[in-house]
């Protein structure tokens, strides 16, 4: 059982939280003052960790090997490659494209003092190379990429966009 307090009269209200699904929003009515108030059940997700902010979104264009999908870019190293069983990279692509390596390229997101993200692309290295706007990257290249840039790995095309939404 969980105990909550009425926001109006501070009456203690007991309820069985195990009856309700995590993340569900419930409406209570205070038995003392009849005030109705809303409470969201904590979800399992809330207890584990805060969701890391997303700074960029890579849209992977649909082709013969894969469906359209989106890769969310977080601060730090975003390692992109073909998803395989047991792979531990943080940005796997669901694809059957054999020319995409299981670790193919990396986008590093760094924040400046104002908290603005900078996106830096490099090849992992991969067998077939990483292309930025149709130019292949050299092994030592670390290139800053921006909104609208097109990255090609294997037969796949990915387009970067910023996650500008302020909500
Ligand atoms: Zn009350």
């Amino acid at each position: 059982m969980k105990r909550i307090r009425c926001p109006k009269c501070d009456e203690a209200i007991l309820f069985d939280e195990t009856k309700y699904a995590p993340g569900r929003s419930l409406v209570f009515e205070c038995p003392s003052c009849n005030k109705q108030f809303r409470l969201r059940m904590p979800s399992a997700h809330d207890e584990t960790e805060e969701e890391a902010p997303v700074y960029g979104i890579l849209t992977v264009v649909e082709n013969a090997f894969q469906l359209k999908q989106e890769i969310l870019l977080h601060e730090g190293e975003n390692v992109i490659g073909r998803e395989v069983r047991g792979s531990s990279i943080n940005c796997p692509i669901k694809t059957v494209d054999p020319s995409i390596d299981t670790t193919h390229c990396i986008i590093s997101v760094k924040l400046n003092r104002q908290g603005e993200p900078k996106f830096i692309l490099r090849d992992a290295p991969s067998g077939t190379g990483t292309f930025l706007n149709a130019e292949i990257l050299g092994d030592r290249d670390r290139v800053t990429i921006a909104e609208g840039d097109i990255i090609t790995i294997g037969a796949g095309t990915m387009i970067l966009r910023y996650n500008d939404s302020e909500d």
Side-chain angles (χ1 to χ4, degrees):
M1 298 291 275
K2 250 191 160 51
R3 192 162 73 160
I4 54 171
R5 292 265 176 197
C6 169
K8 194 177 171 194
C9 72
D10 208 36
E11 171 86 4
I13 304 164
L14 283 171
F15 76 104
D16 184 359
E17 79 280 10
T18 60
K19 284 185 182 167
Y20 305 100
R24 227 190 103 175
S25 179
L26 302 175
V27 178
F28 289 89
E29 188 177 305
C30 172
S32 166
C33 72
N34 298 326
K35 160 89 179 163
Q36 288 199 344
F37 59 99
R38 205 167 261 284
L39 185 82
R40 197 173 77 89
M41 298 294 297
S43 67
H45 181 82
D46 292 343
E47 287 157 26
T48 51
E49 57 188 296
E50 284 275 296
E51 196 149 327
V54 173
Y55 292 102
I57 299 159
L58 273 185
T59 301
V60 182
V61 177
E62 179 171 341
N63 63 15
F65 300 108
Q66 70 233 2
L67 296 173
K68 180 182 172 182
Q69 50 204 287
E70 290 189 329
I71 295 173
L72 305 180
L73 301 175
H74 300 98
E75 186 178 4
E77 304 255 286
N78 297 269
V79 182
I80 298 159
R82 175 165 41 88
E83 185 174 84
V84 288
R85 188 188 280 260
S87 99
S88 58
I89 62 171
N90 55 0
C91 298
I93 298 174
K94 290 184 199 311
T95 181
V96 293
D97 183 350
S99 58
I100 296 180
D101 284 358
T102 54
T103 302
H104 198 112
C105 66
I106 296 149
I107 296 176
S108 173
V109 177
K110 291 178 179 166
L111 303 182
N112 67 13
R113 275 190 217 157
Q114 286 75 44
E116 294 155 348
K118 190 176 175 183
F119 301 83
I120 300 151
L121 173 69
R122 69 178 195 268
D123 192 44
S126 64
T128 55
T130 296
F131 297 75
L132 174 62
N133 300 325
E135 298 262 2
I136 192 163
L137 298 190
D139 284 350
R140 291 167 184 273
D141 283 345
R142 306 283 183 270
V143 291
T144 300
I145 55 174
E147 171 127 327
D149 274 341
I150 296 169
I151 300 160
T152 307
I153 59 172
T157 300
M158 308 187 289
I159 303 161
L160 175 66
R161 79 171 196 270
Y162 299 148
N163 190 23
D164 283 321
S165 62
E166 291 294 312
D167 52 9

